[in-house]
Amino acid sequence: VLPFGAEVDQNGMPIVPAGDDGIPEDLIQHRRPHHHHKRSASSMRKMHMRTQSAQIFMEDTKGTPQPKACRDVLFALLFILHLVGMGYLGSTYSYEALDRDEIETMDDDESSTSVKLAYKNIIFVASLCGAVAVALSALTFVLMTIFARRVVQIGLILTIGLSFLWGTIGIGPSPKTFV
C-alpha cells in the first residue's frame, strides 16, 4: 500500500526520494548515541533492494489474459478414451449383473469353502459408498471454503487430537498387549 500522494513510475513502481547515493532517505538510519557503527553503503543498497522486492510482491498485480485453449491434448485424449472404455464395459456387463436374481456360488475344489454372490447387493453397497464419498467430499469442500484462513491450524489440531484419541483407544482394551 502506497502512502497518500506517492508517485509511481511507468511500471507502477513507487518513486522514492533518494539521497546522493541512490538510497532512499527513510532507509538510512542516523547514528544514535548507543550505536557504535554506521551501516555501510553496500548494506544499505541490499536493504533497499529487499524493500523493493517486498513491495513488488505486496502490491496487487494483474496477470495477462490467457487464451482459452487446451494445452494438454494428450491427457485430454487419454481421459476421453478412459470414459469411452468405462462406458463400453458398463454397457456390456451391467445388464448381466442387474438381471440376475439367482445367487452365484463359487466353489473351491481344494477346500470346503464356498462364496455366494448376490450382484444386486454388491451394486447397492458400491452405490451407497459412492454417495457417502460424494457427500463427504462436498461437506469438506464447503468447510474448507468457510474456514479458508484456518485450514492448516484446524488440520494440525485434528491430527494431533485424533492421534491421541486413537492411541488411547488402542491402549484401552488391552494395555498389557500393546506393542
Side-chain angles (χ1 to χ4, degrees):
V1 177
L2 297 175
F4 179 74
E7 297 181 33
V8 292
D9 63 4
Q10 62 192 15
N11 297 325
M13 295 298 298
I15 299 174
V16 181
D20 294 339
D21 55 356
I23 300 171
E25 294 293 334
D26 58 345
L27 289 180
I28 298 175
Q29 293 184 355
H30 297 286
R31 189 171 184 176
R32 295 186 182 130
H34 63 282
H35 285 268
H36 298 291
H37 66 281
K38 204 174 187 181
R39 290 191 184 236
S40 66
S42 66
S43 173
M44 293 307 295
R45 278 191 210 97
K46 288 178 186 176
M47 186 187 307
H48 175 62
M49 288 171 38
R50 283 192 293 261
T51 304
Q52 289 294 331
S53 297
Q55 284 180 345
I56 290 172
F57 292 111
M58 297 300 287
E59 293 176 356
D60 291 332
T61 56
K62 294 182 180 178
T64 58
Q66 299 293 320
K68 294 185 179 189
C70 178
R71 291 182 280 179
D72 291 329
V73 177
L74 174 67
F75 289 105
L77 290 175
L78 286 173
F79 179 71
I80 291 171
L81 183 66
H82 163 261
L83 290 179
V84 169
M86 294 302 289
Y88 171 75
L89 290 175
S91 65
T92 303
Y93 298 108
S94 65
Y95 297 115
E96 181 181 329
L98 291 175
D99 287 341
R100 285 189 181 178
D101 286 332
E102 76 268 5
I103 295 175
E104 182 176 323
T105 304
M106 300 173 66
D107 290 326
D108 189 5
D109 293 337
E110 297 176 8
S111 67
S112 63
T113 60
S114 65
V115 177
K116 296 181 179 183
L117 299 176
Y119 288 108
K120 288 188 179 183
N121 292 340
I122 293 172
I123 292 172
F124 173 74
V125 170
S127 300
L128 185 64
C129 288
V132 169
V134 167
L136 285 176
S137 296
L139 177 67
T140 303
F141 181 71
V142 168
L143 288 175
M144 285 177 62
T145 54
I146 291 173
F147 301 111
R149 295 180 187 261
R150 301 273 184 194
V151 168
V152 173
Q153 293 170 349
I154 291 171
L156 288 173
I157 291 169
L158 282 176
T159 301
I160 293 168
L162 290 175
S163 295
F164 178 74
L165 179 68
W166 189 250
T168 305
I169 289 172
I171 293 174
S174 56
K176 294 179 182 177
T177 61
F178 182 72
V179 178

